Amino acid sequence: MIQTIKQIYWILNDFYRKNIAVNSVDPKLKITEREKKKLKTHPYPNLDSVNVDGHKFHYNNGGALLHSLEEIFYQEVYKFYTETKNPVIIDCGANIGLSLLYFNRLYPNARITAFEPDHDLFAVLKKNADEFKNSNIQVLEKAVWHEDTNLTFFSQGGLSGSLVTDFGRGNNTITVEAVDLRKYLETKVDFLKIDIEGAENELFFYLADHLQNVEYLFLEYHSIKNEEQMLGEILNIIKKAGFEYYIKMASDLIQYPFMKPEPKNSFNVQLNIFCYRR
């Protein structure tokens, strides 16, 4: 009798693992266990898709998407509150659009303008934006800068690229169109996200006189190794613009700073800076 009960238990347990558990949605990441495993074994840079929070979502780097799901949907680093029914959101460095999916879920009537200069990433971003079927979302294959111009861009293709450093070490450069971001800050912006892989160290100083129109600002700060660190100056601009700020580690790049080791990539500091008004 006991042996029969054990056999039934293992049969049911095996059925659960193969047919139910793998299809259960991880409440933190908004994807199923089956799709999580799919992302972990995804062969970059093949284009594929998974279901994220009820939406078909295209990607070309499974590991990068898992990292972004952790940051955006579990940690909710872009969560903000506004009483505005259709807030204006400017997303600089939209990557493949997971941030847009989050913003669209948070405020379905938001008016979103998203910039992504990397051609390969933009192609995926455009596919995802089309899936949203939301005319209030505009995606632009452009970099943000302090003037309208063309710039050399280091394309990394998977997680992100950069205007200022080849952290992918592939020496894959492309010419991208850049737009003066100040033109988008002439009127009120409810949420401004700037995650542009080190270019903020130059761009941010040109935005100082326009930040008074921004209600919430998310800035991912990158300190580039062997270059002057600009965090203090950037924080002064944020303070003068009337913001309070809160800082979290975005990536722990150096285990023992006093040993002066070489960082894992081109950045030796990576911080998330949350700026808000009282």
Side-chain angles (χ1 to χ4, degrees):
M1 181 67 177
I2 294 176
Q3 186 64 29
T4 302
I5 293 174
K6 286 183 177 179
Q7 288 177 343
I8 294 174
Y9 169 80
W10 287 114
I11 291 172
L12 292 175
N13 184 65
D14 185 62
F15 178 83
Y16 173 79
R17 287 188 297 105
K18 292 181 179 179
N19 298 278
I20 299 176
V22 294
N23 291 316
S24 61
V25 176
D26 185 322
K28 298 178 181 178
L29 303 184
K30 308 301 181 183
I31 60 173
T32 65
E33 294 298 322
R34 185 191 300 275
E35 288 170 327
K36 190 189 301 183
K37 183 177 180 181
K38 178 181 176 181
L39 292 178
K40 289 179 179 178
T41 59
H42 170 254
Y44 170 79
N46 295 350
L47 186 65
D48 207 336
S49 65
V50 291
N51 188 294
V52 179
D53 199 31
H55 293 266
K56 183 178 182 180
F57 194 82
H58 304 273
Y59 66 97
N60 66 344
N61 187 320
L65 180 55
L66 268 176
H67 169 80
S68 297
L69 282 166
E70 171 76 20
E71 186 175 51
I72 296 173
F73 275 88
Y74 176 44
Q75 298 177 20
E76 293 194 88
V77 294
Y78 304 141
K79 187 174 184 178
F80 71 100
Y81 172 76
T82 178
E83 294 182 352
T84 305
K85 293 182 179 180
N86 52 348
V88 174
I89 298 173
I90 307 294
D91 188 338
C92 305
N95 199 264
I96 63 172
L98 193 63
S99 54
L100 303 190
L101 177 58
Y102 179 80
F103 289 135
N104 189 55
R105 171 175 169 257
L106 190 64
Y107 295 108
N109 296 317
R111 292 172 289 164
I112 305 173
T113 302
F115 298 92
E116 177 51 57
D118 188 296
H119 179 73
D120 292 339
L121 292 176
F122 181 81
V124 186
L125 169 65
K126 183 66 167 59
K127 289 177 70 71
N128 285 324
D130 290 342
E131 292 284 351
F132 300 156
K133 295 179 174 58
N134 186 340
S135 61
N136 288 328
I137 297 176
Q138 180 186 29
V139 294
L140 301 173
E141 190 176 355
K142 297 179 181 181
V144 291
W145 202 231
H146 49 74
E147 61 177 336
D148 294 329
T149 187
N150 291 319
L151 297 170
T152 298
F153 183 83
F154 294 98
S155 177
Q156 197 265 345
L159 185 58
S160 55
S162 175
L163 288 170
V164 297
T165 182
D166 184 16
F167 58 81
R169 296 183 176 87
N171 197 31
N172 181 25
T173 61
I174 59 176
T175 299
V176 299
E177 182 180 353
V179 62
D180 187 342
L181 181 58
R182 292 171 297 192
K183 295 189 295 186
Y184 291 82
L185 306 180
E186 296 288 350
T187 56
K188 183 182 178 182
V189 173
D190 295 281
F191 191 94
L192 172 62
K193 172 203 157 200
I194 301 179
D195 182 2
I196 52 178
E197 306 301 330
E200 71 278 357
N201 287 286
E202 182 169 346
L203 170 63
F204 205 73
F205 295 89
Y206 294 89
L207 302 180
D209 294 338
H210 289 66
L211 292 177
Q212 70 273 8
N213 293 327
V214 177
E215 188 67 22
Y216 295 97
L217 166 66
F218 175 91
L219 173 67
E220 184 162 318
Y221 168 75
H222 307 78
S223 171
I224 304 171
K225 69 176 182 180
N226 301 323
E227 294 190 11
E228 182 181 1
Q229 293 184 316
M230 306 302 296
L231 178 60
E233 290 82 353
I234 286 175
L235 291 178
N236 281 334
I237 292 174
I238 290 171
K239 182 178 179 180
K240 289 179 181 178
F243 289 109
E244 293 189 20
Y245 57 82
Y246 182 79
I247 300 175
K248 284 185 178 181
M249 184 78 74
S251 184
D252 194 359
L253 301 175
I254 298 176
Q255 186 174 7
Y256 303 111
F258 293 150
M259 302 303 293
K260 301 180 182 178
E262 283 293 308
K264 298 175 183 177
N265 56 37
S266 298
F267 304 130
N268 52 33
V269 177
Q270 195 168 340
L271 304 171
N272 289 336
I273 306 176
F274 305 79
C275 310
Y276 49 90
R277 303 184 184 279
R278 288 294 184 186

